[in-house]
Amino acid sequence: MYNVNHLAKRLRSASLGREDATFLQNHQTGETISYGAFFANAERMAAVLVAKGLVVGDRVAVQAPKTQAMLELYVGAVLAGVVFLPLNTGYTGAEIQYFLEDATPKMLVCASANLEALTPIAVAAGVAEILTLDADETGTLVEARGGMAAGFEAVPCGADDLAAILYTSGTTGRSKGAMLTHRALASNSAALADYWQFTAEDVLIHALPVFHTHGLFVATNITLMSGASCIFMAGFEASAVVAAMQGATALMGVPTYYVRLLETEGLAAASKGMRLFVSGSAPLLAETHERWRDVTGHAILERYGMTETNMNTSNPYVGERRAGTVGFALPGVEVIVADAAGVEVPRGEVGILEVRGDNVFAGYWKMPQKTAEELREDGFFITGDMAVQDADGYISIVGRAKDLIITGGYNVYPKEVELLIDAVAGVVESAVIGVPHADFGEAVVAVVVADGDVDEAGILAAIAPDLARFKQPKRVIIVDELTRNAMGKVQKKALRERFAGVMG
Ligand code: AMP
C-alpha cells in the first residue's frame, strides 16, 4: 500500500508484519503506541490533509509542542505527498509571519494558546485551514484525526518529490527554506541506521525537539526505519534521561545534554546497559568526550550535519571515535575540504567543507540565486563550515566561514584559539569572536566561562607560548554563560553584537 511512495515505503518496511511491536513510549502520558496504531493514525492524518483540500506539493506548517500526533502528521504528510514544514516553537508571531508569507502553506497547525495571535497573521498570508495541537495530545487536529478511517492509499511520490521544507536557523541574514526530497531523507536515515547498527531491539531516548533535522529526521526516521522503539520525551530533562537509560539502548543529543548529564546523579550506573551515545548539531568539547568516557566507559559518537544536507560525516561505530573530530564521510556521501574555487586543499590545511550525495537538499525555496551561490553545478554543496582533515582522514570542524576573523589582514580560525583557552585550568568553555577595531579591522576577543580562579591576564599568559601574536586575543571577557540556541549552538552573532564596543 505504501510502495508507490518513495519515503513512506522505507519508513514502513521494517515494521510491516510487526504491528504489535512498540514504536513509541510516551514519557509524558505513559502510553505506548504500537507500529500498527502509529501508522493507522498517520494514515488518518493523511486523510485529514486531503479532506482539507491539500494536494501533492502543498505545504503544511506546524508550530506545535512535541507530541506523537506531530510525528503522525509528519508521516501523514509524506503519505499524502504534502510538504511538511515544522517551525521552531520559540518563534514569535513576527517570525511566523515571514515563514507563512514565504512558504504559503495551505494549512497551519499551532498550539491552541497561540491560535488567537496567529489566526490574523495566517489568514493574511492566505492560509486556508488552521488547526490546533497541544502538548497533551489534544486539539482540533486530533479531533479531525478521530473522524477519519485508517487505510489511506499512499499518494505516489518519487525520489525527487519534496517531503519537507526546513528553515535554516538564519544566523546570517534571512532564514532560508531548505527543500528536502524523499530521496535525501530516505537515503540518509538508511545510511545512518546501518552505520550505527540500529536494529529492532533498540530503544532510543528521544529528547530532541522535532522541528529540527536532528530530532525529526535523524532520531525519528532511524527509529522507524530500523523498526526500533523510542522513549519519547517532551523535552530534555537530565534526571529523566538518566532514569530512562535503564530501559534504553541509545541516546541522541546535542553537546549541552552531555554536559548536563555529567552533572546528574546516577549516570555511571544507569549508562551501563546503553550501547550508543550520539552527539551532534554543535561541537562537542574534547573535554566532555573524555569526561564522559571516564564516568560511563562509553565513547560518545560525534557526527556532523546540517539542515541542507542531513548528516554528512560520522565517527566510526567500530573503531576509534576521536574526540574533537566528526569522523569520516558517511557511506554514499562525498566530502572534500576545498578552497574558495572548490579545489581540494592538501591534508592538514584548513578549507571549506563541500558535500555531494543523495543526502543533499534540492535548493532553497524561492531563492534560486542563493541556491546557485551555494550549490555547485556538479552537485557539491558549499557548507560554509571550515574544516581540516588529519593524517588518518578524520575531519574536524574548525568554525563557520563567516566566523573567520580577519585581523590586520591575517586569518584567525576561532577554533584554534578556543581549544587552547579551553585547555587552561579553570576554564569551562570559550567562544572566540572578531569585533570591530580601528586599526586592525577586526580584533580577536575571547568570551570565556570559568569555574576556577582564572582571569584575563592568566589566560593570556597561558596560551601565549602556543599562539602567534596576531592570533592572541586583545581582550578576554569572563561571562557566566555563552548564549546558545535550542540546538545548543553558541550564538556567535549575538556575542559579536553584545561585545561590538569592547575595543573602543
Ligand atoms: P543546522 O542546520 O541548524 O543543523 O546547523 C548546522 C551547523 O551546525 C553546521 O553547518 C555546523 O556549523 C554545525 N554543526 C553540526 N554538527 C556539528 C559538529 N558535530 N561539530 C561542529 N559543528 C557542528
Side-chain angles (χ1 to χ4, degrees), residues 20 38 164 264 413 467 473 489:
D20 294 336
F38 174 76
T264 308
Y413 301 110
L467 209 55
K489 288 186 217 304

Side-chain angles (χ1 to χ4, degrees), residues 332-412:
V333 181
E334 278 177 85
V335 168
I336 58 167
V337 181
D339 64 15
V343 178
E344 240 181 311
V345 301
R347 275 219 178 155
E349 278 184 25
V350 173
I352 296 177
L353 209 83
E354 298 196 13
V355 187
R356 179 164 69 180
D358 283 349
N359 55 312
V360 173
F361 74 142
Y364 293 116
W365 173 256
K366 286 191 193 157
M367 287 187 178
Q369 198 171 333
K370 274 269 159 220
T371 304
E373 281 167 21
E374 296 181 24
L375 202 51
R376 294 186 192 277
E377 272 177 21
D378 63 3
F380 272 103
F381 174 65
I382 307 164
T383 63
D385 286 312
M386 313 288 304
V388 64
Q389 207 166 5
D390 72 16
D392 299 324
Y394 284 83
I395 294 166
S396 294
I397 306 296
V398 299
R400 294 283 299 162
K402 63 172 194 297
D403 293 333
L404 176 75
I405 303 165
I406 304 181
T407 178
Y410 290 106
N411 286 0
V412 179

